């Protein structure tokens, strides 16, 4: 059973998140390049996958144009229903705790739905008490998908461990669900 994490990362932060999700899901990584392109062979990987996990940073309240270019190029798969009934999930990373990441997640969910996919939520309780910290699982309180924050003045090595642990659990959940549909 193959699972693909396809993501765009302009400055490396979302790449680290994608690697964590892939670790949890035991997935193959595909990076959308800075021109919004993927390799021809990547389309075959996507067509063959049981589950596809979309990942993008949030730029100006939505997914970057490079990811949107990939999404538009997936219209060929849409037209032939090549991704019908696959398992899908998604994540977004941005600098602010909120930062309008939900808009990106909703876009990813919509893209999956256009393809006739079955969307997997995050499935984890939020850590939102007085005692909660950024080291906790799902401290950002996602539900539609995984949310991650990367402070704007820091490298990818400064992403809170709780967010990265959540990314691994999210990948595991998508793999568990995909197995049930196999
Ligand atoms: C053009 C641009 C627009 C951005 N817009 C947002 C935004 O709307 N919300 C937010 O929280 N962060 C925003 N950011 C910050 C990025 O989401 C953040 O730096 C993220 O970690 C970048 O991920 P990457 O290194 O994978 O590209 C923006 C960054 C850039 C370059």
């Amino acid at each position: 059973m193959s699972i693909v994490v396809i993501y765009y990362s302009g400055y490396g932060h979302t790449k680290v998140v994608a690697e964590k999700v892939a670790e949890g899901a035991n997935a193959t990584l595909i990076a959308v390049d800075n021109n919004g392109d993927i390799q021809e062979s990547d389309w075959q990987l996507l067509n063959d996958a049981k589950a596809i996990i979309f990942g993008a940073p949030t730029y100006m309240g939505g997914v970057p144009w490079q990811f949107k270019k990939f999404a538009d190029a997936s219209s060929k798969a849409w037209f032939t229903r090549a991704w019908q009934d696959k398992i899908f999930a998604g994540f977004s990373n941005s600098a602010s705790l909120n930062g309008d990441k939900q808009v990106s997640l909703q876009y990813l969910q919509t893209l999956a739905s256009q393809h006739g996919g079955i969307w997997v939520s995050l499935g984890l309780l939020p850590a939102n008490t007085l005692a909660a910290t950024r080291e906790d699982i799902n401290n950002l309180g996602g539900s539609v998908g995984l949310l991650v924050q990367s402070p704007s003045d820091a490298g990818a090595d400064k992403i809170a461990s709780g967010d990265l642990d959540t990314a691994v659990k999210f990948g595991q959940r998508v793999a568990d669900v995909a197995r049930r549909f196999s």
Side-chain angles (χ1 to χ4, degrees), residues 63-85:
V63 298
W65 68 262
Q66 289 91 344
F67 191 90
K68 185 61 168 65
K69 184 177 171 186
F70 152 72
D72 289 1
S74 78
S75 59
K76 197 172 161 192
W78 171 85
F79 192 67
T80 60
R81 308 316 290 160
W83 298 354
Q84 178 79 33
D85 295 339

Side-chain angles (χ1 to χ4, degrees), residues 63 67-68 71-72 102-112:
V63 298
F67 191 90
K68 185 61 168 65
D72 289 1
Q102 187 77 7
V103 176
S104 299
L105 273 190
Q106 284 172 346
Y107 173 69
L108 299 178
Q109 186 183 30
T110 302
L111 175 61

Side-chain angles (χ1 to χ4, degrees), residues 11 51 78 135 150 181:
Y11 303 93
W78 171 85
E135 312 314 310
S150 299
F181 277 81

